[in-house]
Amino acid sequence: MMRQTRPCCSSSSSSSTRGWPFLHSPTLVVFINNHMSTRSRGFHSQPPNPAKSRETHRGTLVRDNHPPSVPHVCNVEHALKVFDEMLQRSPLPSIVRFTQILGQLVKLKHYSQVITLNRQMGLIGIGPDHYTLSIIINCYCHLNQMGFSLSVLAQFFKLGLQPSVTTYTTLINGFVLKNRMAEAAGIFSKMLHAGHCVPDVVTFNTLIKGLCMKGDNSAAIQLLRKMEERGRKPDIFTYSTIIDSLCKDTLVVDALNLFSEMISRGIAPDVITYNSLIQGVCNIGQWKEAKSLLNEMVSRNIFPNVVTFNVLVDTLCKEGMVVEAKSVVEIMIQRDIEPNVITYNSLMDGYCLRGEMDEARKVFDLMLSKACMVNVRSCNILINGYCKHKKIDQANRVFQEMLCRKLVPDTITYNTLIDGFCKAGRIQVAEKLFSQMQGSGQLPDLRSYAILLDGLCGNKQLCTAMELLREMEDKKLELDIVIYTIIIEGLCKAGKLESATDVFSSLSSKRVQPDVKAYNVMINGLCDGGLLAEAEKLLREMGERGCSPNDCTYNTIIRGFINNNETSRAVGLIQEMVEMGFSADASTTELIIDLLSKDKVDPALLSLLKSSL
């Protein structure tokens, strides 16, 4: 059993996982191999009798208490045929039999057809019971027609029927899935106050799931406590949902404490619980704790599944330990756990991060040999790897392979490739690809425009960049400061200071607030143009407008003054920079040292200058 508090984990730990001592040896691979070799059969990934509350997680909320008295239907055509035959009978079958057909159609996910058949039943005088109405509510929830769901709830009371806890839970789940937590909480509150329909474990779990989806862990834990106060015993789904949410928010200590609480109450964890915890500790760099959790789950006869292994492979790859990650994949195969697209994508990304593009391509080809395993993300990873390592032609070949295989490139695909061509100086190809993107129905996002604008400016195509900016403004796109900063920097580098200043000055009228980077770019441009007074004025304006200068701001303007032989003013700014807690960067330091060596400053200021280095 795990301790209530684990000193090796901290929710405030750095998200960086660099330098893990346990990652620099093959201990993980040895550990997994040793523990799995004798236990590769007979393990289960979750308790043999999953908690009933998992119904909420699967979206199956309607409970069928009627034994089957109609044929099992395997498709919608068969269901309609049986339904029509039932309508021809005399007397008509009971509502229970019709409801069974509707229930089978729900399982086939033909929600609109269920609603149509229900209306047909009403037209010939077949009145619904509470099971029928619950099914209809469920269908409207799936169709995102929550208003109609509420009207069906009102129909319960109109017909003198009492909604069951399942009915309310189904409705709450519908609002939860649409991220409408206020309405979900409102229905839950009505259940509590009405008294005749007491929320069960599934109801509480549904609401807890919604709160965790929003990241409101505190409210989820409060509801867990309220659940206990009302005599409802939390189950594995309750705890696992909150534990997973806490881990995603890097609150791993809280997650581990809740995990210990769960075990102390006799609730056995399953592979889902452990996967969340292992992912959580890996995310904050606690590899030792990950191994401890692996050891514990195996000791409980819970065998790691493909998700568990994927977490380990992904973590190792992000650490640059691709050899070890590949060994883990081999162990998976030995234990009859088939690696999936996520496994291979992580491995391929690991090779790309290390610049081992030939190995990355081998993984890609292996995926291709396994038929339908390659997806758009797989291609995006490989394209990005080639682009990062300046192999744009290979990246383009992967893009062409995508098209041949009928894979639809997404915005990330196009953005990555356009950026690669821009950085390679092949701006015309980038522009053509941008047009192809629009022609294929894939709308460019702001990042797409930013990439192309930056490429145009960087390749001295300023006129085209300005035309593109005007096109964006004409389309009424909500342009942000990133877009305008690219244009301002391009104008400054082209020596068009007046135009750059005009664009910068127009930001307020466009309701775009300059950030520190925008100020730094403008100040640098003014300094390069010898407009030092305007640059310093802009420095003062930053503070007045609530955008505090950073170290880059001071280094930029100090270099500007030194390069323009305004040594005394530069020294004053150095003093100001030191008082603000900033120090000189490498470029500024070189200029300061040059000043000192040439005796161009008062020796009395020597100590000040040294303190800035």
Side-chain angles (χ1 to χ4, degrees):
M1 184 174 293
M2 302 178 72
R3 295 186 298 279
Q4 183 74 10
T5 304
R6 294 168 176 261
C8 59
C9 289
S10 171
S11 58
S12 60
S13 298
S14 167
S15 61
S16 171
T17 58
R18 298 292 166 195
W20 297 359
F22 300 97
L23 286 178
H24 299 286
S25 69
T27 52
L28 169 71
V29 177
V30 173
F31 168 81
I32 293 176
N33 210 20
N34 288 344
H35 282 75
M36 307 308 160
S37 59
T38 57
R39 301 176 183 238
S40 60
R41 296 291 184 272
F43 287 85
H44 50 84
S45 62
Q46 61 183 31
N49 297 308
K52 190 177 183 180
S53 64
R54 296 274 174 163
E55 293 175 6
T56 304
H57 187 59
R58 295 192 300 266
T60 307
L61 290 167
V62 178
R63 298 168 183 135
D64 188 2
N65 293 332
H66 301 292
S69 297
V70 296
H72 174 74
V73 298
C74 54
N75 55 53
V76 65
E77 290 78 14
H78 185 201
L80 293 175
K81 181 180 178 181
V82 173
F83 185 85
D84 288 338
E85 288 174 353
M86 290 170 65
L87 290 180
Q88 304 305 317
R89 296 179 192 174
S90 181
L92 287 169
S94 71
I95 183 60
V96 173
R97 306 304 168 226
F98 281 102
T99 300
Q100 288 176 335
I101 291 292
L102 299 184
Q104 291 190 65
L105 276 172
V106 167
K107 291 179 181 178
L108 294 172
K109 300 184 179 181
H110 288 282
Y111 308 115
S112 297
Q113 191 67 63
V114 171
I115 292 168
T116 300
L117 294 183
N118 179 64
R119 286 175 183 158
Q120 190 175 340
M121 288 160 56
L123 290 174
I124 60 175
I126 303 174
D129 63 9
H130 69 280
Y131 289 107
T132 318
L133 294 179
S134 292
I135 286 173
I136 300 304
I137 283 178
N138 190 30
C139 289
Y140 278 126
C141 288
H142 280 288
L143 295 170
N144 195 22
Q145 296 179 356
M146 300 308 299
F148 286 113
S149 293
L150 291 172
S151 67
V152 177
L153 182 65
Q155 194 177 348
F156 268 92
F157 303 110
K158 184 179 178 181
L159 296 173
L161 299 173
Q162 181 59 54
S164 67
V165 63
T166 303
T167 309
Y168 281 113
T169 302
T170 302
L171 198 53
I172 289 170
N173 191 54
F175 282 116
V176 164
L177 292 177
K178 304 307 172 189
N179 199 26
R180 295 168 62 176
M181 285 304 299
E183 290 98 327
I187 295 169
F188 182 79
S189 181
K190 285 179 182 177
M191 288 182 72
L192 292 176
H193 290 106
H196 56 262
C197 189
V198 181
D200 63 7
V201 175
V202 181
T203 316
F204 277 100
N205 285 348
T206 303
L207 206 54
I208 285 171
K209 177 182 70 176
L211 292 168
C212 289
M213 285 167 61
K214 286 188 66 178
D216 196 346
N217 298 314
S218 297
I221 292 172
Q222 287 177 13
L223 194 57
L224 168 66
R225 303 310 173 203
K226 186 181 287 288
M227 184 178 181
E228 295 167 324
E229 290 170 8
R230 292 184 171 268
R232 298 300 180 192
K233 185 179 178 182
D235 61 13
I236 179 63
F237 180 82
T238 320
Y239 280 103
S240 292
T241 301
I242 301 175
I243 286 169
D244 184 63
S245 184
L246 289 168
C247 287
K248 284 176 179 173
D249 289 341
T250 67
L251 301 172
V252 178
V253 167
D254 296 332
L256 288 168
N257 287 339
L258 199 61
F259 179 74
S260 296
E261 176 187 309
M262 179 184 81
I263 291 175
S264 69
R265 296 188 176 189
I267 300 172
D270 62 8
V271 70
I272 297 172
T273 321
Y274 277 110
N275 286 346
S276 296
L277 287 169
I278 291 169
Q279 179 77 74
V281 296
C282 284
N283 285 345
I284 63 168
Q286 297 294 343
W287 190 249
K288 184 178 180 180
E289 189 65 35
K291 290 201 297 180
S292 174
L293 287 165
L294 276 168
N295 184 41
E296 183 176 317
M297 70 186 290
V298 171
S299 70
R300 290 179 179 274
N301 286 348
I302 301 173
F303 189 70
N305 62 10
V306 66
V307 177
T308 322
F309 282 106
N310 284 349
V311 170
L312 300 175
V313 170
D314 187 59
T315 301
L316 287 166
C317 286
K318 285 176 179 174
E319 282 297 303
M321 301 184 66
V322 190
V323 174
E324 289 81 354
K326 187 179 178 182
S327 297
V328 173
V329 175
E330 290 169 355
I331 291 171
M332 291 175 69
I333 296 169
Q334 291 167 11
R335 306 304 167 207
D336 294 328
I337 299 175
E338 185 65 30
N340 60 17
V341 64
I342 296 172
T343 320
Y344 287 118
N345 280 350
S346 294
L347 190 60
M348 185 165 54
D349 196 34
Y351 282 122
C352 288
L353 289 171
R354 289 173 57 88
E356 298 179 29
M357 296 310 302
D358 290 343
E359 292 300 321
R361 179 70 212 203
K362 286 178 184 177
V363 176
F364 187 79
D365 289 338
L366 175 63
M367 295 170 73
L368 289 175
S369 71
K370 292 178 178 289
C372 300
M373 183 167 276
V374 167
N375 60 15
V376 173
R377 173 157 169 74
S378 313
C379 298
N380 288 347
I381 289 169
L382 195 57
I383 288 170
N384 183 61
Y386 280 129
C387 288
K388 294 291 184 190
H389 295 92
K390 301 180 180 179
K391 296 182 177 182
I392 188 64
D393 290 324
Q394 288 95 321
N396 193 38
R397 277 198 287 272
V398 177
F399 177 73
Q400 298 304 324
E401 285 183 60
M402 287 183 73
L403 301 179
C404 291
R405 294 180 180 278
K406 308 299 182 186
L407 288 171
V408 180
D410 60 12
T411 306
I412 295 172
T413 319
Y414 282 106
N415 287 353
T416 305
L417 206 50
I418 291 168
D419 188 50
F421 278 116
C422 286
K423 285 183 167 63
R426 295 162 66 176
I427 194 67
Q428 289 183 334
V429 182
E431 289 181 271
K432 183 180 178 181
L433 198 57
F434 187 81
S435 298
Q436 182 180 333
M437 177 183 185
Q438 294 172 298
S440 68
Q442 191 70 250
L443 291 178
D445 58 12
L446 273 185
R447 173 146 178 79
S448 313
Y449 282 105
I451 288 168
L452 187 56
L453 281 172
D454 191 50
L456 290 166
C457 290
N459 286 276
K460 300 180 181 179
Q461 301 283 332
L462 201 55
C463 291
T464 309
M466 293 302 295
E467 287 176 11
L468 183 59
L469 177 65
R470 282 190 288 272
E471 179 187 321
M472 294 167 70
E473 291 176 332
D474 290 343
K475 287 181 178 178
K476 306 297 182 185
L477 298 176
E478 292 186 17
L479 307 186
D480 59 15
I481 190 59
V482 174
I483 297 292
Y484 287 108
T485 301
I486 290 169
I487 292 294
I488 291 166
E489 187 169 23
L491 290 167
C492 287
K493 287 181 177 179
K496 299 180 180 293
L497 279 179
E498 187 175 344
S499 298
T501 303
D502 289 343
V503 174
F504 188 86
S505 301
S506 70
L507 292 177
S508 57
S509 65
K510 294 179 170 66
R511 297 184 179 179
V512 177
Q513 182 65 38
D515 59 10
V516 67
K517 183 176 180 180
Y519 274 108
N520 290 349
V521 166
M522 193 69 239
I523 287 171
N524 186 62
L526 292 169
C527 288
D528 286 346
L531 302 175
L532 302 180
E534 288 84 349
E536 188 168 6
K537 181 181 177 182
L538 210 54
L539 173 68
R540 303 307 165 202
E541 181 186 299
M542 289 181 70
E544 294 168 4
R545 295 197 175 183
C547 182
S548 300
N550 61 10
D551 57 339
C552 182
T553 317
Y554 279 105
N555 277 284
T556 299
I557 197 167
I558 288 167
R559 286 196 298 271
F561 275 92
I562 293 175
N563 287 329
N564 284 276
N565 298 317
E566 293 285 348
T567 306
S568 59
R569 188 68 198 107
V571 171
L573 287 167
I574 291 170
Q575 182 176 5
E576 184 178 323
M577 177 176 71
V578 172
E579 290 171 355
M580 293 288 289
F582 302 124
S583 58
D585 61 20
S587 299
T588 309
T589 299
E590 186 178 346
L591 291 174
I592 292 173
I593 291 172
D594 187 57
L595 285 177
L596 293 172
S597 66
K598 294 178 181 178
D599 295 328
K600 289 188 176 181
V601 295
D602 187 336
L605 297 173
L606 184 61
S607 60
L608 170 66
L609 293 173
K610 286 182 177 179
S611 66
S612 72
L613 301 180

